[in-house]
Amino acid sequence: MAVVAMWKCDRDEAMFDSKKEADAHDKMLELAENFGLLLEKQIDGISERDAENIGLLLSKNKDILVAACKGRPGLLLD
């Protein structure tokens, strides 16, 4: 029987084949959490769930957001 190494993200229990993938996923979730906290501070009445969902959306699309902020806003519409 073969042994297969797996890495588990401690934030959401997701499993990955490589440490690099697990670390990238963990960083994405950390960024999403921080976006969510920022939204909760800045928007009165936003639900925690909505803030988390928007934070996750922003975090998953961070490369597009960065490019849009650097002068390519049309990327947000693709």
Side-chain angles (χ1 to χ4, degrees):
M1 177 179 268
V3 174
V4 178
M6 298 291 291
W7 283 261
K8 183 173 156 182
C9 179
D10 56 350
R11 289 183 185 271
D12 69 351
E13 308 286 317
M15 299 292 289
F16 297 91
D17 294 330
S18 74
K19 183 177 184 328
K20 182 178 177 181
E21 290 175 324
D23 286 343
H25 183 75
D26 190 54
K27 286 180 183 180
M28 184 271 302
L29 291 177
E30 181 179 8
L31 180 60
E33 180 181 357
N34 289 339
F35 274 137
L37 293 171
L38 174 68
L39 291 165
E40 287 180 42
K41 286 181 186 176
Q42 298 295 319
I43 302 172
D44 289 332
I46 191 169
S47 72
E48 183 177 340
R49 183 176 185 91
D50 286 345
E52 287 175 359
N53 287 336
I54 294 168
L56 197 54
L57 173 73
L58 294 172
S59 182
K60 286 181 178 180
N61 293 285
K62 72 176 180 158
D63 294 333
I64 294 170
L65 291 169
V66 168
C69 290
K70 290 183 176 180
R72 298 177 60 200
L75 291 174
L76 297 173
L77 304 176
D78 292 338

